[in-house]
Amino acid sequence: MKFKRGALGLHSLVLMLITVSAQALPTPIIALSKSTEDGKAVLVAKVTIDGKPLEDADVQFFAQRTFGQLALGHEKTLDDGTAATAFPADLPGGESGEVSIVAMIKAGPKYAAAEAHGTFNGATVVIDTDQELPRALFAPRAPLELIGSISVLTGGIWLAFFYVLFQLFKIRQEGLRK
């Protein structure tokens, strides 16, 4: 594949202009908190830009999990710059009952992308117990009946194999005697 001279330079120039224009946009500031509304726990994100509330920005809420982020909801900010979603009280939070929350705003026409992180109490407490797992198909230790039946089947196959070899050996011995 051949490139025309100057084509790569134009591509670099376009990328540079996009980068410069993205840096020129102001970055919103997100303050993440937990509150109670109507007797239920909610996550509240207050979004400001240059000290003023940012209206009609789409805020996405996520719970940080082991292998990525779990979406909790998304709301548009009101005229006071706040957006709220229900707090996941039934989400497992480990031994301490804490869950890590991320609030994110994608870049808009007048502002850059931003995100905020916070850790809040109130999730379901999960106690790690070191119990021995039972012998079952779903467990790391197979049931004894399964081990026994597979051993008998495998042993039968090997016995048939050795019987065939023994018969071949007898046929060869009879052929040598003649």
Side-chain angles (χ1 to χ4, degrees):
M1 177 178 219
K2 292 184 179 182
F3 291 103
K4 293 182 181 178
R5 187 178 180 130
L8 191 58
L10 179 62
H11 179 69
S12 298
L13 179 64
V14 169
L15 283 177
M16 213 164 51
L17 288 174
I18 291 172
T19 306
V20 168
S21 66
Q23 290 175 350
L25 295 174
T27 304
I29 297 172
I30 305 171
L32 190 58
S33 62
K34 181 181 167 189
S35 180
T36 305
E37 288 182 10
D38 299 328
K40 295 182 181 180
V42 293
L43 294 167
V44 179
K46 184 169 175 83
V47 183
T48 58
I49 192 162
D50 295 331
K52 298 174 186 172
L54 181 62
E55 185 178 357
D56 205 34
D58 190 28
V59 180
Q60 296 177 336
F61 295 91
F62 298 96
Q64 190 67 43
R65 307 312 296 163
T66 304
F67 298 108
Q69 296 177 336
L70 174 68
L72 300 176
H74 63 90
E75 292 291 326
K76 292 218 180 256
T77 55
L78 303 174
D79 57 351
D80 62 348
T82 60
T85 191
F87 182 78
D90 59 343
L91 194 65
E95 292 181 6
S96 62
E98 292 182 338
V99 63
S100 181
I101 303 293
V102 179
M104 224 183 270
I105 297 177
K106 291 185 181 178
K110 298 179 183 176
Y111 52 87
E115 69 179 49
H117 299 266
T119 303
F120 302 101
N121 287 327
T124 304
V125 176
V126 178
I127 299 172
D128 187 23
T129 57
D130 293 331
Q131 295 178 353
E132 189 172 315
L133 293 173
R135 288 190 171 269
L137 289 177
F138 61 85
R141 297 174 38 190
L144 293 175
E145 298 85 9
L146 181 64
I147 292 172
S149 62
I150 290 176
S151 298
V152 167
L153 289 172
T154 306
I157 291 170
W158 278 104
L159 283 174
F161 178 71
F162 285 128
Y163 179 74
V164 169
L165 285 178
F166 177 71
Q167 291 298 325
L168 288 173
F169 181 73
K170 279 178 54 177
I171 292 171
R172 184 170 184 235
Q173 289 299 331
E174 285 183 21
L176 290 177
R177 278 192 235 160
K178 290 186 180 182

